[in-house]
Amino acid sequence: MKKLSIVVPCYNEKETVSLFYDATSKVVEEMGIDYEIIFVNDGSKDSTLDECLKLYEAHKKIVKVIDFSRNFGKEGGLLAGLEYATGEYLAVMDADLQDPPSFLPEMFKEMEEKGVDIVGTRRVSRKGEPPIRSFFARQFYKLINKFSDVEIVDGARDYRLMTRQVVDAILELKEYHRFSKGIFVWVGFKTIYLEYENVERVAGETSWSFWKLLSYAIEGIIAFTVAPLRIATFSGIFISAFSFLFMLFIIVRAALFGDPVSGWPSMMTIILFLGGIQLVALGIIGEYLSKTYMEVKKRPNYIVRKIYE
Ligand code: UDP
Ligand code: MG
């Protein structure tokens, strides 16, 4: 019988893991396939590990727990789960039940019937989310789709079902800065998306602040396109050309009308403007350089303290 591996990164999810287990196992049991649920405890500061271990003790055949030495972030958790999983099929799910397990049978059906390799999910609404967060999220999708060669559909979740072949392809990407939303798309394969209305988390709190999301978005853009560097180059070319014309204008004006001392405000404006542009360009280069720096260090994405299997 084919096996489904479900990877669940958990950070401070003490209230949700058992709810997750109950809801998910109920659905999967009915599907009549072999399965395992891999909880990755991403250095939680609450009793998430204990909760996972309770499930592990009660359902040893099904539940596996990977315990990290500290918090490495969701990307590290995902990667650990993907590397560890043995199923022919793999699903990635959040612990907070924002990814409804009731979708799994349908995802499976779609995969079998339409012969696709990935069945993803996307939220068509963002109700229950602060409007400002939704706004920036939308802008982010527009930006990354415009400038990178991956097409990430608006509202795409990490919640997806994929075949072993896709998982192996994903694991071929050895980069340190893993932006999974992009990686899942970058590997290609036949993909369809199921749509659903946003579901709020059952318990606990989101661990993503606005700033964490913003830096995640920047990370995504840096990881999947060098367009910002090109923009810096083009604005440099544009400003230089403009400055050259301006210089000609000043020379001609001085030749015709003499050179009275004036123009301090315009000079200051230009200096400040150029200073600003230069800092931005330097910052952009810095972003890429810092990413390169971390890549060449070849540090692992996570460190395992113990695997319960
Ligand atoms: N998560 C994680 N490590 C982190 C932050 C989050 O493993 O450092 C997990 C978290 O436990 C959850 C999933 O990633 O299962 C999504 O996190 P969350 O629900 O906080 O994000 P949101 O749904 O609000 O975007
Ligand atoms: Mg959530």
Side-chain angles (χ1 to χ4, degrees):
M1 196 158 46
K2 296 230 165 145
K3 183 161 138 191
L4 166 67
S5 300
I6 302 175
V7 172
V8 194
C10 308
Y11 177 62
N12 296 347
E13 300 281 7
K14 68 172 178 328
E15 290 132 327
T16 60
V17 282
S18 69
L19 294 174
F20 174 89
Y21 177 84
D22 293 343
T24 309
S25 60
K26 191 164 157 258
V27 172
V28 183
E29 298 282 346
E30 277 171 15
M31 288 164 64
I33 50 166
D34 215 5
Y35 71 110
E36 63 179 357
I37 300 182
I38 305 166
F39 290 106
V40 184
N41 176 36
D42 185 14
S44 300
K45 294 187 174 58
D46 62 6
S47 57
T48 302
L49 179 64
D50 298 335
E51 293 297 322
C52 291
L53 289 183
K54 270 188 218 159
L55 292 171
Y56 167 73
E57 291 301 334
H59 317 275
K60 277 203 169 147
K61 279 214 182 85
I62 293 165
V63 175
K64 320 271 167 202
V65 182
I66 304 178
D67 186 29
F68 281 0
S69 62
R70 65 166 169 86
N71 177 250
F72 282 89
K74 187 182 174 185
E75 297 294 340
L78 270 182
L79 179 64
L82 260 59
E83 283 177 345
Y84 177 81
T86 51
E88 282 84 8
Y89 297 98
L90 189 143
V92 173
M93 295 174 83
D94 285 359
D96 57 10
L97 289 176
Q98 275 191 302
D99 300 332
S102 56
F103 272 45
L104 284 168
E106 195 182 338
M107 288 162 98
F108 238 88
K109 210 173 107 220
E110 295 281 319
M111 192 172 251
E112 305 261 277
E113 281 175 6
K114 303 204 170 130
V116 294
D117 309 293
I118 304 175
V119 182
T121 56
R122 64 182 285 249
R123 295 189 287 189
V124 285
S125 78
R126 289 174 171 273
K127 73 169 177 352
E129 209 184 59
I132 182 123
R133 187 167 154 172
S134 310
F135 172 78
F136 279 104
R138 291 240 155 75
Q139 300 312 312
F140 164 73
Y141 286 113
K142 274 195 195 141
L143 207 69
I144 196 159
N145 287 337
K146 192 159 182 175
F147 289 112
S148 74
D149 49 9
V150 294
E151 174 82 30
I152 303 176
V153 299
D154 188 355
R157 305 269 310 165
D158 286 345
Y159 182 23
R160 54 188 59 221
L161 177 69
M162 44 205 163
T163 60
R164 169 60 33 196
Q165 192 189 10
V166 176
V167 175
D168 289 342
I170 290 170
L171 292 177
E172 282 294 303
L173 275 74
K174 305 279 186 212
E175 61 217 71
Y176 176 77
H177 285 281
R178 301 186 73 83
F179 183 70
S180 288
K181 262 189 205 312
I183 289 177
F184 288 150
V185 179
W186 189 91
V187 292
F189 294 101
K190 284 203 172 69
T191 309
I192 52 167
Y193 287 91
L194 301 182
E195 298 183 345
Y196 69 104
E197 298 277 325
N198 190 28
V199 184
E200 292 186 45
R201 57 160 52 234
V202 277
E205 277 187 12
T206 175
S207 39
W208 293 83
S209 66
F210 180 77
W211 294 111
K212 244 176 136 178
L213 275 177
L214 184 68
S215 82
Y216 183 64
I218 293 178
E219 189 123 305
I221 289 173
I222 300 285
F224 277 89
T225 165
V226 292
L229 285 172
R230 193 144 304 152
I231 292 171
T233 312
F234 282 129
S235 39
I237 292 171
F238 178 75
I239 291 170
S240 310
F242 178 75
S243 312
F244 181 73
L245 294 177
F246 193 55
M247 186 183 77
L248 290 181
F249 166 73
I250 290 174
I251 291 172
V252 171
R253 192 180 63 171
L256 295 181
F257 303 107
D259 187 19
V261 180
S262 69
W264 188 81
S266 58
M267 193 169 78
M268 282 316 282
T269 325
I270 290 166
I271 289 177
L272 290 177
F273 174 67
L274 288 183
I277 296 262
Q278 279 166 11
L279 283 180
V280 170
L282 207 59
I284 292 174
I285 297 173
E287 286 287 337
Y288 284 93
L289 185 66
S290 69
K291 296 289 182 272
T292 315
Y293 178 60
M294 291 310 288
E295 291 292 342
V296 292
K297 283 191 186 202
K298 293 208 188 313
R299 286 191 182 162
N301 281 80
Y302 58 86
I303 292 171
V304 172
R305 204 177 73 85
K306 191 164 177 187
I307 297 183
Y308 302 83
E309 55 187 348

